[in-house]
Amino acid sequence: MPVTYTPREMLEKLVGFDTVSAKSNLELVHFAKDYLEGHGARVHLMPDETGEKAALLANIGPEVPGGMVLSGHTDVVPVEGQAWSTDPFQVVERDGKLFGRGTCDMKGFDALALCAAADAARAGIKRPLQIAFSFDEELGCRGAPPLVAEMQKVLPPASAVIVGEPTSMGVVSTHKGGAGFTTFVTGFEIHSSQVHKGVSAVMTAARLVTWLEDRMAENRARAEAAPYPEAEGFEPPWTTLHVGIFHGGTAGNITAKDAWFTTDIRVVPPEVPADWARRYQEECARLEAELRRIRPEARIDPQPRIPVPPCRREENGEAERVARILTGDNAERAVAYGTEAGFFQEGGYSTIVCGPGDIAQAHQPDEFLEVDQLDKGEAFMKRLVAMLAA
């Protein structure tokens, strides 16, 4: 008999794998592969270019079109610098909450998907249940485009994709798209008493940060004066521009030669990420030209990350129809965070976002998933398997 786990037991297994994005996820992926194959699934692994990470694609049930895809990511954000009261890589239950890195974002859903696969194999489903686990989602969804492309090659075409990011098991049909940059600034070092002869990379980077913040203030003012109808439901209902990491400088009395910082831009419709990326790159070019009149060595290099497409509400979308039947939820929801859902939509899949947990817990110290949310997710999966078996 193949090994089986309850969702709680499976969650404990998955959290026990330290899959922080900077590390390999292979131990988790091979565990999932062995588990799925033990229940008769056909499993395909897609390694990244380093061979240190891999995505997993699986088909449970008949090899026919019209199945349902459960999509999750295997990586988690770091715990360094966070004040955890428990071991982040061990599930600890307290006051009806399951603490651990990734319990909410999103190993809770991954655990439910693996358990649903075993249930589906026993149920003799007539349409396939498919699993799509990615890597590097927390690094800007870098693993999503190759995953979707590979999925189209190795799995029968599915009728719908459910991306299990935390939505408290509500149905989310719309989220913001995004663009991101890591911007490297090269200045010219000189003693700070002669600052007029040098170029400070730190002060230049700070000017760009201020430009980003000024644009966000303009966006907020415009949204408060004349909000976009398309942005209704988003919190906040304007495009945000955020700097999360900033490094630079070597000494207090030297104009900094190098600085770099990260930017993410989360875009409400009808605005589009590509337009915001272009505006930022144009500002970088304008400022670089100004600096090179002082020192020709000065450079500003905004290196773009993979743009994250928005998830758009589909007219008569199959994924939304199924998710509403399985949850009983008829509310319209839009969220400000991004997911891999837009990549599936670009690949031609009807897609919805629905998973256990509250997004407010994602990336936090003492991240947790409420036991009640895991139970609701399990009930959702059992109804899904019954639907595929009917």
Side-chain angles (χ1 to χ4, degrees):
M1 292 290 292
V3 175
T4 60
Y5 295 98
T6 66
R8 167 67 181 272
E9 291 168 340
M10 184 63 77
L11 179 61
E12 291 174 349
K13 293 289 292 185
L14 299 186
V15 170
F17 297 112
D18 180 355
T19 54
V20 168
S21 300
K23 302 178 181 180
S24 173
N25 72 338
L26 292 183
E27 193 176 359
L28 183 154
V29 166
H30 283 287
F31 164 79
K33 178 178 183 290
D34 291 344
Y35 183 79
L36 290 166
E37 289 180 337
H39 289 276
R42 179 174 63 84
V43 182
H44 174 81
L45 298 186
M46 184 195 75
D48 73 347
E49 65 278 1
T50 70
E52 293 299 315
K53 299 178 182 180
L56 178 147
L57 296 164
N59 191 91
I60 302 93
E63 298 273 345
V64 297
M68 296 289 298
V69 180
L70 301 176
S71 167
H73 61 79
T74 58
D75 59 320
V76 296
V77 297
V79 299
E80 283 76 18
Q82 294 187 331
W84 282 76
S85 63
T86 63
D87 181 345
F89 300 106
Q90 180 178 348
V91 174
V92 175
E93 182 174 355
R94 189 170 66 237
D95 301 325
K97 301 171 182 175
L98 302 171
F99 292 86
R101 174 55 87 218
T103 51
C104 175
D105 183 21
M106 59 180 300
K107 290 181 176 179
F109 181 83
D110 293 348
L112 292 167
L114 292 172
C115 290
D119 289 344
R122 290 190 295 270
I125 53 178
K126 296 180 175 62
R127 291 187 292 146
L129 178 67
Q130 298 173 344
I131 307 290
F133 286 169
S134 68
F135 55 83
D136 284 355
E137 190 274 347
E138 299 292 4
L139 299 179
C141 295
R142 293 197 313 212
L147 171 74
V148 174
E150 189 77 0
M151 186 169 142
Q152 292 169 326
K153 298 175 185 176
V154 302
L155 295 183
S159 64
V161 176
I162 298 171
V163 177
E165 292 281 3
T167 66
S168 300
M169 293 309 300
V171 178
V172 169
S173 57
T174 310
H175 67 61
K176 291 183 179 182
F181 291 89
T182 301
T183 302
F184 296 89
V185 181
T186 302
F188 185 82
E189 287 181 311
I190 199 164
H191 194 279
S192 59
S193 65
Q194 298 294 299
V195 66
H196 63 294
K197 298 179 181 179
V199 171
S200 169
V202 166
M203 295 181 72
T204 300
R207 290 175 65 184
L208 289 169
V209 173
T210 298
W211 184 89
L212 292 163
E213 188 162 14
D214 288 347
R215 301 295 78 71
M216 183 163 61
E218 291 170 359
N219 294 344
R220 179 171 185 168
R222 182 207 47 74
E224 291 174 346
Y228 293 131
E230 301 94 328
E232 183 180 357
F234 285 108
E235 177 59 38
W238 60 81
T239 293
T240 58
L241 301 93
H242 170 255
V243 172
I245 303 174
F246 191 113
H247 286 282
T250 56
N253 61 352
I254 300 174
T255 59
K257 179 180 179 182
D258 298 297
W260 66 270
F261 61 95
T262 63
T263 304
D264 76 52
I265 305 172
R266 298 177 184 266
V267 180
V268 294
E271 298 172 5
V272 295
D275 289 345
W276 274 103
R278 175 185 51 75
R279 288 183 65 184
Y280 177 63
Q281 289 168 314
E282 287 174 351
E283 176 60 17
C284 289
R286 185 200 66 76
L287 183 55
E288 181 186 77
E290 175 186 318
L291 298 176
R292 293 185 69 182
R293 288 194 288 270
I294 303 171
R295 294 298 315 189
E297 300 91 339
R299 294 287 186 277
I300 300 175
D301 180 17
Q303 296 187 2
R305 299 195 297 273
I306 295 172
V308 177
C311 180
R312 303 184 187 279
R313 184 168 289 115
E314 302 168 4
E315 190 71 28
N316 300 317
E318 176 66 6
E320 183 172 350
R321 184 190 73 81
V322 169
R324 294 200 184 283
I325 291 172
L326 296 176
T327 61
D329 175 30
N330 292 313
E332 296 287 351
R333 291 183 176 84
V335 295
Y337 57 86
T339 78
E340 295 174 329
F343 291 102
F344 286 104
Q345 286 186 328
E346 287 189 340
Y349 295 94
S350 177
T351 308
I352 205 75
V353 184
C354 183
D358 186 339
I359 193 62
Q361 289 304 314
H363 305 182
Q364 297 300 305
D366 282 350
E367 176 184 349
F368 67 81
L369 175 69
E370 292 182 351
V371 173
D372 177 64
Q373 282 289 299
L374 191 65
D375 292 342
K376 287 181 178 178
E378 182 180 15
F380 175 96
M381 294 297 180
K382 289 188 179 301
R383 290 191 288 270
L384 173 59
V385 170
M387 178 183 289
L388 295 174

